[in-house]
Amino acid sequence: EVQLVQSETEMKKPGESLRISCQASGYTFKNYWIGWVRQRPGKGLEWMGVIYPGDSDTRYSTSLQGQVTMSVDTSINTAYLQWHSLRASDSGMYYCARRFDSTYNWFDPWGQGTLVTVSS
Amino acid sequence: EVVLTQSPGTLSLFPGERATLSCRASQSLDGTYLAWYQQKPGQAPRLLISGASRRATGIPDRFSCSGSGTDFSLSISRVEPEDFAVYYCQLRNFGQGTRLEIK
């Protein structure tokens, strides 16, 4: 069974750094893009970007370029989403998901989500 | 960049009624690149249909989609109680979603 398991809820202060994780199982991790999707409280889904574990090729949303960093560790089949300096506006639920392939952008399956709260 | 606009924002129906959710693109696109998702409260989104008409594993056949060019739709032939949720279309970015609620 293909599965993505994300790290637990995080509570941080503005200016702090954070890295959340997404561990994949049930398939060859290097062969499929992993995407990240943000959902702010009460809002819709926002495509953040994708990373290809095979070579760490990364595509970011234009609006998020420079604000987050996506990375992978293929030795443990894990993708990461990192912030160097959090802002209150980074609060929300963050989902990782497996992208179908390099042509089609749909995501399946999804991780359970990591809730990030940034507050002073 | 193609923008997807979903309508209505909220759709109120009785169980058993037919639901039609719209997803309009800002420019013509190949429908095989479009996907639809369902999200229930407190849950991650779930892929419903991809490649214009392929239902994901476990998705009942009361869900279907159609459309071409700039106008696409997701239909639920007879809405079941478990179908009340928020639905999103996606090309790369997502539409803003349609909430299907019980009338």
Side-chain angles (χ1 to χ4, degrees):
Chain A
E1 179 195 5
V2 177
Q3 200 171 10
L4 300 174
V5 178
Q6 298 186 231
S7 50
E8 297 299 315
T9 296
E10 297 277 0
M11 295 194 65
K12 292 288 189 179
K13 290 181 167 51
E16 291 185 333
S17 62
L18 174 65
R19 189 177 74 168
I20 63 175
S21 67
C22 169
Q23 185 167 39
S25 61
Y27 72 98
T28 303
F29 180 63
K30 285 186 177 182
N31 291 353
Y32 290 84
W33 294 78
I34 291 285
W36 290 93
V37 176
R38 176 170 69 186
Q39 187 167 38
R40 290 192 168 110
K43 302 298 184 183
L45 304 175
E46 181 181 1
W47 188 91
M48 301 180 68
V50 291
I51 184 167
Y52 187 69
D55 60 6
S56 293
D57 186 11
T58 311
R59 314 287 169 83
Y60 294 98
S61 165
T62 305
S63 63
L64 289 170
Q65 186 85 37
Q67 297 182 32
V68 296
T69 302
M70 297 177 191
S71 61
V72 295
D73 184 339
T74 55
S75 69
I76 54 172
N77 292 349
T78 300
Y80 300 99
L81 182 65
Q82 182 173 359
W83 294 260
H84 295 292
S85 181
L86 285 161
R87 301 181 285 193
S89 58
D90 292 319
S91 296
M93 183 70 83
Y94 290 83
Y95 296 102
C96 66
R98 192 181 77 167
R99 181 181 173 186
F100 181 76
D101 66 18
S102 58
T103 301
Y104 299 101
N105 285 309
W106 56 77
F107 292 127
D108 182 46
W110 294 60
Q112 84 278 18
T114 296
L115 181 63
V116 174
T117 302
V118 184
S119 175
S120 55
Chain B
E1 189 169 317
V2 179
V3 175
L4 300 178
T5 302
Q6 294 186 242
S7 62
T10 301
L11 182 60
S12 299
L13 295 174
F14 292 107
E17 290 192 296
R18 181 180 183 85
T20 302
L21 289 65
S22 171
C23 177
R24 176 163 290 177
S26 58
Q27 61 192 71
S28 183
L29 60 88
D30 181 347
T32 60
Y33 291 92
L34 201 66
W36 290 88
Y37 301 84
Q38 177 193 67
Q39 187 179 31
K40 296 181 180 180
Q43 296 185 16
R46 175 174 71 151
L47 179 67
L48 283 178
I49 295 178
S50 59
S53 60
R54 184 173 67 184
R55 283 186 296 276
T57 303
I59 303 303
D61 60 8
R62 62 179 180 272
F63 289 91
S64 64
C65 63
S66 62
S68 64
T70 60
D71 293 316
F72 299 87
S73 61
L74 174 72
S75 296
I76 310 172
S77 58
R78 289 199 310 275
V79 178
E80 298 285 340
E82 62 267 27
D83 299 336
F84 291 98
V86 180
Y87 292 85
Y88 296 92
C89 58
Q90 183 211 12
L91 181 61
R92 188 193 76 166
N93 292 338
F94 296 87
Q96 81 277 25
T98 290
R99 179 179 305 277
L100 176 60
E101 64 175 27
I102 299 176
K103 195 170 185 178

